[in-house]
């Protein structure tokens, strides 16, 4: 879902998602009033978070599995033609659990925010 990552370090990742009317979910999701479903905003934030966790991992070889989503709020609708800026900040990793704060913006307007946790599972060798 994420079109590109524009910033990445050990604590924060920023990705972009261009919202196009040609995407298949707009056909059935309020066809006369298309908005990007909140679950897809959440998925895009989780994907940026996964990239952040993989890049921040010093030991190598972990796969982040989404474990929980807390306090997710959708503040404004996202329409076709909008560009989502997805910002995820790593709050810490403890006992193979990563904690992140995620925010989505259209321009300077906050459209969604929440907290996510992921389990860090060792890759199979």
């Amino acid at each position: 879902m994420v079109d590109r990552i524009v910033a990445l370090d050990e604590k924060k990742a920023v990705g972009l998602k261009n919202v196009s009317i040609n995407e298949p979910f707009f056909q059935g999701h309020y066809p006369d009033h298309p908005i990007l479903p909140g679950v897809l905003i959440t998925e895009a934030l989780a994907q940026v978070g996964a990239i952040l966790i993989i890049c921040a991992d010093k030991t190598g070889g972990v796969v982040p599995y989404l474990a929980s989503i807390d306090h997710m709020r959708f503040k404004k609708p996202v329409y076709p033609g909008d560009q989502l800026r997805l910002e995820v900040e790593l709050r810490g990793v403890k006992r193979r659990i990563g904690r992140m704060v995620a925010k989505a913006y259209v321009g300077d307007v906050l459209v969604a925010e929440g907290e996510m946790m992921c389990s860090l599972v060792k890759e199979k060798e």
Side-chain angles (χ1 to χ4, degrees):
M1 289 207 54
V2 178
D3 293 319
R4 69 178 170 259
I5 300 296
V6 295
L8 179 63
D9 62 33
E10 292 180 0
K11 290 290 183 184
K12 187 173 182 179
V14 180
L16 297 178
K17 162 80 177 131
N18 295 308
V19 182
S20 169
I21 190 66
N22 296 326
E23 297 185 70
F25 49 80
F26 282 127
Q27 308 312 315
H29 195 77
Y30 303 120
D32 295 331
H33 183 72
I35 62 169
L36 183 63
V39 67
L40 295 180
I41 296 170
T42 304
E43 173 63 24
L45 287 164
Q47 288 179 6
V48 173
I51 292 167
L52 174 59
I53 289 285
I54 289 168
C55 291
D57 177 41
K58 298 290 186 231
T59 63
V62 297
V63 178
Y65 289 174
L66 185 61
S68 73
I69 303 166
D70 296 314
H71 310 293
M72 186 59 73
R73 300 288 183 256
F74 304 100
K75 299 180 176 283
K76 300 277 184 186
V78 177
Y79 300 105
D82 287 344
Q83 183 180 62
L84 274 177
R85 187 176 75 250
L86 307 155
E87 298 183 2
V88 180
E89 184 177 336
L90 183 62
R91 290 298 166 108
V93 176
K94 187 175 182 180
R95 295 187 187 152
R96 316 286 292 149
I97 298 290
R99 298 182 192 295
M100 300 169 281
V101 172
K103 296 181 180 182
Y105 297 88
V106 172
D108 291 330
V109 177
L110 180 66
V111 296
E113 65 180 334
E115 300 169 9
M116 297 182 179
M117 289 182 7
C118 63
S119 297
L120 305 178
V121 179
K122 282 282 188 191
E123 278 188 62
K124 292 182 181 179
E125 296 181 8

